[in-house]
Amino acid sequence: MRKSNISIFVPHIGCPHRCSFCNQNAITGQAEAPTPQDVCKAVERALQSNESGDYTYEIAFFGGSFTAIDRDYMISLLEAAYKYVQEDSVDGIRISTRPDFINEEILGILKKYGVTAIELGCQSMDDDVLRTNMRGHTSDDVRDAAKLIKENGFELGVQMMTNLLRSTRRHDIDTANKLIELQPDTVRIYPTVVLKDTYIARVYQEGRYTPSTLEQTVALCADLVDMFEKSGVRVIRVGLHSSPDIKRNMLAGGYHECLGELVESRRMFNKITRAWPGKYDVYINEKSVSKLLGNKKSNIKALERLGYRLKIKYKNSLAPNELELHKCS
């Protein structure tokens, strides 16, 4: 049985800051705040489409500042969602919020209404990068919030961004290491996308910011995913969701609607190139063929240029992103 989110997007309300990259309307494709009735409609629609029982659901309030919105409004949304937790129609409720809007009182409310997982929009663990991008919180705020969340028994998720203003590859790797130290359960990695009507767009248009290319983004994210998975942190998202609003408002950045697939393809490429060039049998799950081949067979072509000769063989006992390499005699 597969687990799926019933996503409810709460737009940029309640948040006291406007970060350098923020254009919530473009990211979520939604300008109006959802009502409790909207929550019920979304859940009922998902449950009705699951007549075969193939999915279990979690209600997810996304948007980045859930605990910063008006308290009565927040509780009204939670009440609408909680009845489905009480009925065992869904497994729980997930929210995403800012690190500086977490305290014992807020956590008590969230626990009362069946919230099981809290994701923190950390973005960076470098205080200079946080200041430059007008986040309005510090790395210590992240540490304090993460500690409180874990102590209160919630699943902890963290979210980071790459290639923010004044952030380099070294900064992004350092942020990942510091987030790993918090021992989160999950992580989402969001490469910066330059959207219209944002501060970072103005800086970019003035020539004072260089966005990452897609190739640079894929290479960095492949390394980050390796780091998190090696540390036991589950990567649940790489890149923004595909959206016509993002495509319409995007000026630059390492965006691709299938970024996660590209990253997994790059990870397979990296695993192979850790061995000396030569002839190899490569064993993979048959579901992984497209990832191994790469977009338009780019992986295979690049590996051949480097002197690798591969014979693909299926071994479905391997996880979809695993591979085994055996040198041919």
Side-chain angles (χ1 to χ4, degrees):
M1 191 173 292
R2 296 173 60 187
K3 189 171 183 177
S4 181
N5 283 337
I6 302 171
S7 298
I8 313 293
F9 288 98
V10 181
H12 191 81
I13 55 175
C15 182
H17 303 281
R18 179 72 183 270
C19 303
S20 68
F21 50 83
C22 186
N23 183 335
Q24 278 289 315
N25 290 348
I27 293 171
T28 66
Q30 181 174 332
E32 293 184 7
T35 66
Q37 292 74 26
D38 292 329
V39 174
C40 294
K41 288 178 184 177
V43 177
E44 294 291 347
R45 187 164 53 245
L47 296 178
Q48 288 172 11
S49 68
N50 189 37
E51 292 180 356
S52 60
D54 292 335
Y55 292 89
T56 61
Y57 289 108
E58 187 176 57
I59 299 172
F61 290 103
F62 290 134
S65 57
F66 186 74
T67 59
I69 63 180
D70 175 81
R71 186 60 52 83
D72 290 338
Y73 173 52
M74 181 185 81
I75 290 174
S76 74
L77 296 178
L78 288 172
E79 285 177 335
Y82 185 45
K83 71 176 184 179
Y84 295 100
V85 177
Q86 292 175 303
E87 296 170 357
D88 289 327
S89 299
V90 301
D91 290 341
I93 300 170
R94 171 180 295 269
I95 65 116
S96 63
T97 194
R98 294 174 54 87
D100 49 338
F101 279 84
I102 288 291
N103 55 42
E104 291 283 4
E105 179 206 3
I106 288 171
L107 292 177
I109 294 172
L110 298 180
K111 189 176 294 185
K112 176 182 176 182
Y113 289 103
V115 173
T116 49
I118 301 173
E119 295 187 29
L120 293 177
C122 311
Q123 318 317 0
S124 175
M125 290 297 283
D126 183 282
D127 286 326
D128 180 52
V129 172
L130 291 171
R131 277 192 301 272
T132 302
N133 290 275
M134 300 175 282
R135 280 294 293 165
H137 68 79
T138 66
S139 58
D140 281 341
D141 289 328
V142 174
R143 294 185 183 92
D144 292 343
K147 184 172 182 288
L148 276 178
I149 288 167
K150 290 177 72 71
E151 286 176 349
N152 279 272
F154 294 93
E155 177 185 300
L156 172 64
V158 293
Q159 300 171 2
M160 70 169 287
M161 295 181 66
T162 66
N163 194 224
L164 287 164
L165 291 172
R166 293 181 66 84
S167 188
T168 63
R169 177 186 170 88
R170 180 181 62 79
H171 287 106
D172 293 336
I173 294 292
D174 187 54
T175 282
N177 278 319
K178 289 178 178 177
L179 291 177
I180 287 168
E181 290 175 4
L182 304 179
Q183 298 182 311
D185 298 283
T186 62
V187 63
R188 297 178 194 264
I189 304 170
Y190 293 121
T192 296
V193 177
V194 180
L195 298 171
K196 296 175 184 176
D197 301 321
T198 61
Y199 176 74
I200 204 169
R202 191 175 80 203
V203 175
Y204 165 66
Q205 290 169 326
E206 291 172 353
R208 296 187 289 122
Y209 167 71
T210 303
S212 289
T213 64
L214 180 59
E215 183 178 351
Q216 291 169 332
T217 297
V218 169
L220 172 59
C221 288
D223 291 340
L224 294 175
V225 171
D226 281 346
M227 291 172 62
F228 283 113
E229 289 195 351
K230 184 179 179 181
S231 301
V233 182
R234 185 162 54 94
V235 181
I236 56 177
R237 183 76 196 177
V238 179
L240 293 171
H241 287 78
S242 177
S243 161
D245 295 283
I246 291 177
K247 294 176 183 178
R248 184 167 54 250
N249 288 280
M250 175 181 163
L251 298 177
Y255 174 79
H256 191 283
E257 57 187 8
C258 298
L259 183 62
E261 183 88 5
L262 296 180
V263 168
E264 289 305 325
S265 184
R266 178 58 181 255
R267 292 179 72 204
M268 285 201 165
F269 178 89
N270 290 346
K271 288 174 184 176
I272 291 171
T273 55
R274 288 173 191 144
W276 289 102
K279 292 184 178 180
Y280 292 91
D281 289 333
V282 54
Y283 291 84
I284 58 170
N285 188 301
E286 61 185 320
K287 295 179 181 178
S288 303
V289 174
S290 62
K291 296 175 184 177
L292 176 60
L293 297 179
N295 186 33
K296 298 180 180 179
K297 296 187 177 180
S298 58
N299 267 5
I300 296 299
K301 292 175 183 177
L303 288 166
E304 286 178 351
R305 288 195 296 270
L306 292 172
Y308 294 87
R309 300 294 180 265
L310 305 179
K311 186 172 183 178
I312 299 172
K313 297 185 177 182
Y314 295 146
K315 186 176 180 180
N316 290 339
S317 60
L318 293 172
N321 296 325
E322 288 183 314
L323 64 80
E324 290 180 2
L325 209 58
H326 297 279
K327 191 170 180 59
C328 298
S329 56

